[in-house]
Amino acid sequence: MAIRCRSIASSRSRWARPLRLTLLERKGEPTLLVTTNGFGDALRIGYQARPSLFALDIVLPEMLYSEVVEVEERIAADGSVLIELDEAAVTDSLRRMQPHFDSVAICLMHGYRYHEHEAKVAEIARRLGFAQVSVSHEVSPLMKLVSRGDTTVVDAYLSPILRDYVNRVDRILRPGDVGPRLMFMQSNGGRTDAHSFQGKDALLSGPAGGVVGMIRTAGAAGFERLIGFDMGGTSTDVSHYSGELERTYESQVAGVRVRAPMIDIHTVAAGGGSILAFDGARMRVGPESAGADPGPASYRNGGPLTVTDCNVLLGRLRSEFFPAVFGADGDETLDDVVVGEAFARLADKISATTGETWAPEAVAEGFLAIAVESMANAIKKISVQRGHDVSDYTLVCFGGAGGQHACLVADRLGIGQVHIHPHAGVLSALGIGLADLRHVEDRAVEAVVDETLLHSLDPVWTAMERDGLAKLTRQGLRADQIVFERRISLKYQGADTTLEIAAVNLADTVAEFERIHRARFGFASPEKPLIAESVHVEAIGSSGAVDQVAADAEPTPSEVLLRPLFCDGAWHDAPFVPRDSLVVGQPIAGPAILLEATGTVYVAPGWHANRNALGDLVLNRVVPLPTAAAIGTTVDPIQLEIFNNLFMNIAEQMGLVLENTAVSVNIKERLDFSCAIFDPSGDLIANAPHMPVHLGSMSESIKSAIRDNPTMKPGDVYVMNAPYNGGTHLPDITTIKPVFGDGALRSERPVFFVASRGHHADVGGTVPGSAPANSTSVEEEGVLLDNVLLVSGGRFLEAELRALLDGGAYPARNTDQNVADLKAQVAACEKGAIELLRVIDHYGLDVVHAYMSHVKDNAEESVRAPSTR
């Protein structure tokens, strides 16, 4: 038995710290990990993913557990006991550790399904006096040792801190256990009783409150399909809602994998404090932030220019409407003078570099356009990227800085309606008060889906509902106040990514899975068996809270003030109107500024702002958006950055599709793949931060495909791994898709190319892995694919591909996996083509081609420029 021990003093002084900060700074409860012998380093090893491929100094996050006890035991995947648990040895080991630890996390092999050994170890730990005992089959009863183990450790690490906090607050608010029930918000979007609150469920409770607040307040105003836009000082959180809470069951928080239901929220480093920069060719926004100290330049603390300062210069934020809380003594207003001077210097620098005259206002408006593009791309990741058409959605704006940019972000996404609640500045807090009580139960299944399986799951679901009912009735709810939702996590056999589907009859469940899979990944494989990985039951108890916090019923008359405001390249005398003075049914036309106690709303030209009967602001675009082709084809530092971000975002979307749909460890976990887009001649335009060795040679592969296939047709995809034509070694297989435009833009020759390259575990050869050290010919390394037609007119040529992989002197050893990964690569290419066609439809082909060239030129200039380091 491997035992490593050191004395660690327990400290409980962090009870009031935010749990995410506690996790980030590694200041939780010292924790002991108990696991199966031989797996003591499993959580440290983790998966083979390399999230920062270009990092020269890789700093691994510190593990949450301090010591490990490996116990002699082993249960096989089928439940058979290979090694009986040595209870005496476990008792002896834990007794030695107990003086140094109060918290223990227990995670044994296959303990998610077979609980006997974990339960015995937990019983021993509790008998010895460990105050916190977290057991994996209770905390996260789902397969995957690493994420299950991490989640169990997180629970053991944070729950004691949380328990101290809860108990102290409860004693203060309810002395003698008398008074209202104390509730807390969970990351899954529901509230729970204070004494049922667990550390693993508290990490994203604040942002989850914002999403719930968005749903309840916008729903009360009659809006059902929502995009959440929560912009603060350093970052922006975005979310999607179309009838049900969207959750992710595996997240990474502060470098730790957490397998627990959390509302799916995407964060981008673009906020009011994002720093502005010009590198001699491109204007950039963030990701660095000025933070609260020193803050933006206008805060009078010597800070840099930021997005907030753009709005100050353009007249959208004015010092006379802000409290005097800035400067060294906190008694001064916003400094618009220093902002004007700083933008004048920056405009002179840009003018001198580009040879064109730039006004400070044009510079500020350009930086705002870049920030808006970044935020719009973040929204695409949780909407368009998953197959949702957001044109008929409502953008729900909240957070301190959101109102200044809502119209601009909506325009970039093609959304014509914005909703802003009177309490948008504190919507997360409001949402916590409006949230229902929720409890989620999970069970692992891992079986082929058919009628027999669904029938056999009925008693499992019933038992889970009974457990959920007991949890919520103990929190003061009646049975008639509780409803249940049954869901099932499905995946194709051999795949790893699951989709959570409402569990109904077999035909409807399968049809819904295929619909969502096709929308998200671009294809479905009905010929493949479906696997049920796990089942979930959510018990939902009505909170009894009001759906809406009404604003003042009557408007407060106020004088309309006219102030200069810069937008669309010119100054305007715009009305500055207190929100409370708006009259229902009397819209305010943009450009205009609406003033609130917790924010400022910019109504852009072409938009109208109305106050509804509830006191909400509803902004509508009443003038169609102008065409984007008017930007021209001449290089512009603003549009250069926007197109650079656009192209990069498309390559990243391709990579996400590939990661989610591949089946091999190499591609899905090690992320040994690359996705990129190329111009009509085959030159590289943009790639996500993937494998450098791939990206250095992929362009030659595209050019060889162009040379060897003069009669390419729409719907074709080619596959190659030839080292003579831009390949690296044979396991790196590239799929190449020519794109011919669409509709009126359809052309005779490809207008661009998309490609993905993935490292396959094996493609034949004399040794597994296809990399023999003593080979003398390429055939000994594996099957050679030299610009072979893989998809013809949209039809995947699987039989022909299998014949190639299975033929030859040294055939592939796992053709099924090769085929599955190549289908994923084709899906990634299809995603890239769809997104590029959307960009062409928006800007026009001549503009897109021009900026492809400008991006290449800028890349060359950047490489040739002397290093500043």
Side-chain angles (χ1 to χ4, degrees):
M1 182 177 302
I3 303 173
R4 299 182 293 279
C5 179
R6 61 185 174 89
S7 178
I8 302 174
S10 174
S11 171
R12 298 289 183 86
S13 61
R14 292 97 46 216
W15 65 274
R17 297 173 60 82
L19 286 188
R20 272 193 293 177
L21 186 58
T22 298
L23 194 60
L24 181 65
E25 296 181 353
R26 299 301 194 258
K27 292 184 178 179
E29 181 71 14
T31 298
L32 173 69
L33 171 64
V34 178
T35 191
T36 303
N37 189 33
F39 291 87
D41 293 322
L43 303 190
R44 159 58 69 193
I45 296 170
Y47 300 126
Q48 298 185 61
R50 295 163 290 176
S52 301
L53 283 174
F54 296 98
L56 299 180
D57 181 20
I58 299 173
V59 180
L60 295 176
E62 180 183 347
M63 301 306 295
L64 299 186
Y65 57 86
S66 303
E67 301 295 342
V68 181
V69 165
E70 300 180 13
V71 300
E72 292 290 345
E73 71 85 33
R74 187 64 185 270
I75 296 179
D78 62 359
S80 58
V81 178
L82 303 180
I83 302 175
E84 288 286 354
L85 178 70
D86 189 340
E87 295 185 45
V90 171
T91 302
D92 181 60
S93 298
L94 293 184
R95 182 178 288 115
R96 284 189 246 168
M97 293 292 190
Q98 203 278 329
H100 311 294
F101 296 93
D102 279 339
S103 187
V104 60
I106 301 167
C107 181
L108 305 181
M109 283 293 291
H110 305 300
Y112 71 96
R113 177 174 287 179
Y114 307 108
H115 310 155
E116 179 184 355
H117 287 181
E118 282 196 351
K120 288 181 179 178
V121 175
E123 180 185 354
I124 293 170
R126 292 184 177 110
R127 188 171 67 243
L128 291 174
F130 284 90
Q132 174 67 37
V133 180
S134 297
V135 194
S136 81
H137 72 266
E138 297 173 356
V139 173
S140 179
L142 302 172
M143 65 185 301
K144 294 185 180 179
L145 175 70
V146 173
S147 52
R148 174 167 55 94
D150 266 357
T151 307
T152 307
V153 172
V154 165
D155 192 68
Y157 188 73
L158 296 181
S159 288
I161 311 300
L162 185 65
R163 185 65 48 228
D164 278 358
Y165 173 72
V166 167
N167 290 339
R168 294 188 189 204
V169 173
D170 199 32
R171 285 196 298 270
I172 293 171
L173 295 181
R174 304 190 320 124
D177 288 336
V178 177
R181 187 180 298 273
L182 179 61
M183 312 294 290
F184 283 86
M185 188 69 181
Q186 304 174 96
S187 304
N188 64 19
R191 286 186 291 146
T192 189
D193 179 86
H195 300 289
S196 300
F197 199 30
Q198 294 181 266
K200 71 180 179 67
D201 296 322
L203 295 171
L204 296 179
S205 55
V211 175
V212 173
M214 169 189 80
I215 294 169
R216 298 295 289 271
T217 57
F223 304 117
E224 298 178 349
R225 297 160 69 84
L226 313 172
I227 295 292
F229 174 57
D230 179 6
M231 184 178 179
T234 59
S235 63
T236 297
D237 292 335
V238 297
S239 53
H240 171 268
Y241 178 80
S242 59
E244 60 184 31
L245 287 173
E246 293 192 353
R247 298 194 180 100
T248 176
Y249 272 78
E250 187 160 347
S251 306
Q252 193 164 80
V253 181
V256 181
R257 290 162 290 263
V258 181
R259 191 161 181 143
M262 298 184 186
I263 290 184
D264 197 2
I265 299 169
H266 183 71
T267 302
V268 61
S274 294
I275 296 174
L276 315 180
F278 176 66
D279 65 2
R282 291 159 51 193
M283 296 163 59
R284 302 187 181 186
V285 177
E288 298 83 5
S289 174
D293 186 13
S298 55
Y299 283 13
R300 298 182 183 270
N301 289 322
L305 285 177
T306 68
V307 169
T308 293
D309 298 313
C310 292
N311 288 303
V312 171
L313 183 80
L314 299 176
R316 303 174 191 181
L317 296 178
R318 300 189 64 87
S319 58
E320 64 260 43
F321 302 121
F322 264 74
V325 296
F326 302 103
D329 298 324
D331 58 357
E332 298 182 79
T333 60
L334 286 172
D335 191 341
D336 48 11
V337 174
V338 72
V339 169
E341 293 171 349
F343 269 109
R345 290 192 298 270
L346 184 55
D348 289 343
K349 177 182 177 181
I350 296 174
S351 298
T353 303
T354 62
E356 298 181 5
T357 301
W358 282 79
E361 294 85 359
V363 171
E365 203 165 35
F367 277 119
L368 280 185
I370 293 168
V372 164
E373 185 69 32
S374 177
M375 292 181 281
N377 284 338
I379 291 174
K380 290 177 185 177
K381 289 184 178 181
I382 51 90
S383 58
V384 176
Q385 185 171 301
R386 299 179 182 179
H388 304 295
D389 179 4
V390 298
S391 60
D392 61 345
Y393 277 63
T394 298
L395 186 72
V396 181
C397 171
F398 50 108
Q404 300 157 38
H405 310 91
C407 290
L408 305 177
V409 171
D411 279 346
R412 190 61 195 88
L413 294 166
I415 295 175
Q417 191 161 244
V418 175
H419 175 267
I420 306 177
H421 188 266
H423 300 289
V426 290
L427 199 65
S428 291
L430 178 62
I432 292 173
L434 298 177
D436 291 324
L437 278 72
R438 293 175 182 263
H439 176 76
V440 180
E441 291 277 338
D442 308 301
R443 296 288 187 276
V445 179
E446 202 65 20
V448 175
V449 176
D450 55 22
E451 290 283 6
T452 302
L453 175 69
L454 291 183
H455 181 72
S456 69
L457 289 176
D458 272 334
V460 177
W461 269 313
T462 301
M464 294 165 71
E465 288 173 351
R466 188 164 52 246
D467 291 343
L469 179 67
K471 293 274 189 182
L472 293 192
T473 52
R474 283 200 297 269
Q475 297 183 38
L477 292 179
R478 302 186 310 273
D480 61 356
Q481 294 176 291
I482 302 171
V483 297
F484 300 96
E485 291 183 358
R486 296 181 175 185
R487 306 187 70 79
I488 184 167
S489 290
L490 302 178
K491 62 183 180 181
Y492 283 124
Q493 189 173 59
D496 189 61
T497 299
T498 62
L499 297 176
E500 196 178 317
I501 308 296
V504 285
N505 58 70
L506 178 62
D508 290 344
T509 300
V510 171
E512 181 66 2
F513 171 83
E514 291 183 350
R515 183 191 69 79
I516 296 176
H517 197 281
R518 189 176 288 107
R520 184 168 298 187
F521 303 124
F523 72 96
S525 300
E527 74 282 359
K528 281 193 171 185
L530 274 184
I531 303 297
E533 183 182 89
S534 55
V535 291
H536 319 275
V537 163
E538 183 169 11
I540 306 170
S542 173
S543 65
V546 295
D547 284 342
Q548 181 75 9
V549 177
D552 295 335
E554 295 295 331
T556 303
S558 177
E559 179 185 0
V560 174
L561 303 174
L562 294 179
R563 295 289 187 272
L565 183 149
F566 190 92
C567 61
D568 291 351
W571 285 98
H572 306 262
D573 285 331
F576 279 61
V577 184
R579 174 182 182 143
D580 292 342
S581 69
L582 295 180
V583 177
V584 176
Q586 295 184 11
I588 297 293
I593 296 293
L594 303 181
L595 304 171
E596 303 183 273
T598 58
T600 299
V601 177
Y602 166 58
V603 184
W607 286 78
H608 279 183
N610 290 274
R611 176 178 174 174
N612 67 12
L614 297 170
D616 304 347
L617 281 180
V618 180
L619 281 61
N620 292 280
R621 172 159 276 286
V622 295
V623 178
L625 277 169
T627 176
I631 66 171
T633 58
T634 304
V635 64
D636 174 281
I638 299 169
Q639 296 301 330
L640 180 62
E641 179 66 3
I642 287 176
F643 273 97
N644 185 71
N645 290 339
L646 269 176
F647 295 147
M648 176 70 77
N649 177 261
I650 292 170
E652 289 175 346
Q653 289 190 51
M654 293 172 63
L656 189 61
V657 169
L658 179 52
E659 177 186 350
N660 285 337
T661 55
V663 301
S664 67
V665 170
N666 271 4
I667 294 178
K668 177 169 290 297
E669 294 186 8
R670 293 183 60 241
L671 307 183
D672 197 342
F673 64 80
S674 298
C675 297
I677 61 178
F678 302 82
D679 70 8
S681 64
D683 287 335
L684 177 67
I685 298 302
N687 57 266
H690 296 153
M691 296 294 293
V693 68
H694 291 171
L695 298 164
S697 61
M698 281 177 75
S699 179
E700 294 304 313
S701 298
I702 310 302
K703 292 177 180 178
S704 74
I706 296 172
R707 183 184 64 245
D708 295 346
N709 301 280
T711 59
M712 292 180 174
K713 302 185 300 298
D716 288 351
V717 178
Y718 297 87
V719 60
M720 64 88 65
N721 64 354
Y724 322 105
N725 284 324
T728 48
H729 59 170
L730 295 189
D732 285 339
I733 303 180
T734 307
T735 57
I736 302 165
K737 179 180 179 64
V739 181
F740 291 79
D742 195 21
L745 296 174
R746 174 81 66 177
S747 64
E748 294 294 325
R749 299 186 58 79
V751 295
F752 54 80
F753 292 84
V754 289
S756 63
R757 177 173 289 179
H759 182 142
H760 291 238
D762 181 273
V763 69
T766 57
V767 298
S770 307
N774 58 348
S775 59
T776 58
S777 68
V778 71
E779 288 79 12
E780 292 176 297
E781 296 184 0
V783 177
L784 184 70
L785 304 169
D786 196 358
N787 281 318
V788 175
L789 189 62
L790 178 64
V791 178
S792 177
R795 184 174 70 88
F796 191 88
L797 305 178
E798 183 167 342
E800 293 86 338
L801 174 64
R802 287 182 177 275
L804 287 172
L805 293 173
D806 292 337
Y810 306 101
R813 294 170 177 82
N814 190 346
T815 304
D816 289 344
Q817 188 175 91
N818 294 132
V819 171
D821 279 350
L822 283 170
K823 285 183 176 180
Q825 289 180 239
V826 171
C829 289
E830 181 65 21
K831 183 63 177 178
I834 290 171
E835 293 305 313
L836 269 171
L837 288 173
R838 284 178 175 158
V839 173
I840 290 174
D841 183 61
H842 184 71
Y843 288 99
L845 183 58
D846 57 339
V847 172
V848 174
H849 274 168
Y851 273 91
M852 282 185 169
S853 179
H854 299 329
V855 166
K856 286 194 301 180
D857 293 342
N858 175 247
E860 180 181 357
E861 291 170 9
S862 299
V863 171
R864 292 183 183 277
S867 174
T868 57
R869 295 188 177 182

